Structure formats: structure tokens, C-alpha cells
Amino acid sequence: MVIAIDGPAGAGKSTVARAVAAELGFTYLDSGAMYRSVALAAREAGVDADDGAALGPLAAGLEIGFDGRQVLLGGRDVSDAIRRPEVTADASRVSVHPAVREALVARQRALIEAGDYVAEGRDIGTVVSPEAPLKVFLTASDEERARRRAAETGEDVASVLAAQQRRDARDTEREHGALRAADDAVELDTTGLSLEEVVARVVALARERNLAPRSKGDPGDPERTSPQFVREGSPGSPSSETPE
Ligand code: DC
């Protein structure tokens, strides 16, 4: 069973999904790390990120694994290498190719079938697991997303923002597995919210839907969370109200 957490880069998916998984005792699945691993492997093999014909078989043949917070490519720890800016840019390019997506979606489905997961990505609720009993679509303003990413990587906000806009456009406009909220997703705008508030809301939704047992002093009690950051059932644009 899977709780799907989708949304654009920098909306807080990884941090939120990891924390929700820990809180509920589920396994966390970072599907973006799989696309990043394909991008890294392609670079290392000298395969162009636009060469879909070569990337499909390459993606299908890769051994991608997770060990705690580590991402393993053929048994090698690539957790840092896949976060480098040039690999980040290539990941967005390799992820447009249908053969790459098919290979990775098949692996994601196989993992999810075998346990209870909180999986984050762009297409978990729409393609990987349309039957997921809880789908959350996380958004935040463009500036806030860029600020968060810059704080993580040490880059300057303006260049993160520019790269983010290019990736957002590719993610939303691609033909296969495009970034969009599922019709039945709950949209949470995390702009100005603390991690704790967002996690509490997602955990509360999971418990309301009986996906996880209620605990004593349940921090996900909906009474304890501010209602203004949730617009339930409103599939939304990943771009923000904030002017560029
Ligand atoms: O979430 P992230 O930034 O680690 O994702 C890296 C890239 O992978 C991003 O450009 C979009 C792509 N991706 C995707 O196409 N589908 C997913 N389910 C997850 C990520």
C-alpha cells in the first residue's frame, strides 16, 4: 500500500515524505533518486540525456537500490553524486523519455506491492499507483521552493530559480508521466508552513482514512492543525501565485 506524495521540486516532498514514513512506520521511496541515478549512469557511460533510444535499455539494466538514506547504483553509494547540479539538470531531461519512465515505474510498482510505502515523485498518484488510498500534492511558491533548494545546495537563489523554472516547464509539459495532481489528490500549499505542520496534516489524513493506527497524543489530530493551508480536492497548478 502506498501514500503518494507528488509535487514540483522544492515543495518539501522529500522531507515531508520521509517524516511521514517514520511517523507511520512505513518505508520511504524517493522515486526522483531513481531518475537521478539514470542521469548519473548516462553521464558516466557517455550517453546523451536526450538520447531516448539508448537511455531506455540503460535504465532497464541498472541496479538501483536504497539502504536507509543511501542511494546505491550497482552497489556504489551515489547519494551525493546524484544531487550535483549537472545531474539534477540531466535527471529532468532523461525523465521525459517513455522507455526510461516505463523501466522505473515498473520497479516502483514492484517495490510498493511488497510493503507499506510513502512514495514521493511527480506521477505516483497519477501513473505509478492511481489506486493509492491517499494522494497528496504538495506545492509552494516558486520563490520559496528556490530558497529551500538553495539553502540545501549552497547555490544562489536566482540561479536555482532559473533552473527550477526550466525543470518545472519540462516536468509539466512532457507527454508521459507529466507533473499534475490526481483528480482525487489533496493539495497542500506549504508556503510559510513549518515541516511539523505539513507532516501533522498528512499523518492526520492517513489516520482519518484508517491507513495507520492512531497513536496516543496523536500529533496528526486535525483539530491541532491550521486549516488555511489545505485546499482539499483542488487539483492545482504546480506554479505559484508569486510573480517570477
Ligand atoms: O524529485 P527530484 O528533484 O529528485 O527529481 C529529479 C527529476 O526526476 C525531476 O526533474 C523530475 C524527475 N522525476 C520524474 O519525472 N518522476 C518522478 N516520479 C520523480 C522524479
Side-chain angles (χ1 to χ4, degrees):
M1 191 269 288
V2 64
I3 294 174
I5 302 196
D6 290 304
K13 296 187 305 288
S14 304
T15 324
V16 169
R18 212 184 278 281
V20 170
E23 175 91 18
L24 299 179
F26 287 20
T27 306
Y28 164 65
L29 176 63
D30 176 1
S31 65
M34 300 172 95
Y35 289 93
R36 287 169 178 273
S37 296
V38 173
L40 178 66
R43 266 187 171 260
E44 291 178 346
V47 173
D48 195 276
D50 297 324
D51 185 352
L55 286 166
L58 182 131
L62 289 180
E63 195 192 306
I64 304 170
F66 297 93
D67 183 9
R69 293 180 83 101
Q70 283 187 354
V71 182
L72 304 173
L73 181 57
R76 173 170 59 112
D77 179 5
V78 293
S79 317
D80 293 333
I82 60 168
R83 306 278 157 207
R84 291 202 306 258
E86 67 275 16
V87 178
T88 300
D90 281 2
S92 169
R93 290 164 63 200
V94 304
S95 66
V96 304
H97 303 296
V100 171
R101 303 203 68 82
E102 267 166 40
L104 297 189
V105 166
R107 282 162 193 233
Q108 290 154 19
R109 286 186 180 144
L111 283 171
I112 286 164
E113 262 174 34
D116 289 332
Y117 277 84
V118 179
E120 60 119 327
R122 306 293 191 286
D123 61 343
I124 306 295
T126 51
V127 176
V128 176
S129 192
E131 73 292 349
L134 173 59
K135 302 170 188 174
V136 176
F137 196 78
L138 286 189
T139 60
S141 74
D142 288 2
E143 270 78 9
E144 172 126 349
R145 294 194 288 123
R147 265 196 305 275
R148 291 176 186 168
R149 189 52 61 111
E152 256 173 48
T153 63
E155 297 162 271
D156 69 283
V157 177
S159 56
V160 172
L161 186 57
Q164 176 181 283
Q165 281 163 347
R166 285 194 293 276
R167 287 198 294 139
D168 281 355
R170 247 197 311 262
D171 282 355
T172 48
E173 287 160 16
R174 71 174 171 237
E175 211 174 317
H176 300 272
L179 169 67
R180 69 172 180 83
D183 291 340
D184 55 349
V186 175
E187 188 184 342
L188 300 186
D189 183 343
T190 68
T191 310
L193 293 176
S194 70
L195 169 67
E196 290 73 23
E197 286 173 302
V198 181
V199 171
R201 183 65 188 142
V202 177
V203 167
L205 285 165
R207 293 200 167 119
E208 278 164 23
R209 294 177 190 203
N210 291 321
L211 305 179
R214 284 179 184 278
S215 64
K216 232 168 55 178
D218 185 353
D221 182 346
E223 299 299 317
R224 291 180 49 180
T225 60
S226 148
Q228 79 263 11
F229 70 84
V230 59
R231 284 177 280 143
E232 306 228 3
S234 58
S237 152
S239 63
S240 77
E241 321 71 41
T242 315
E244 310 293 5

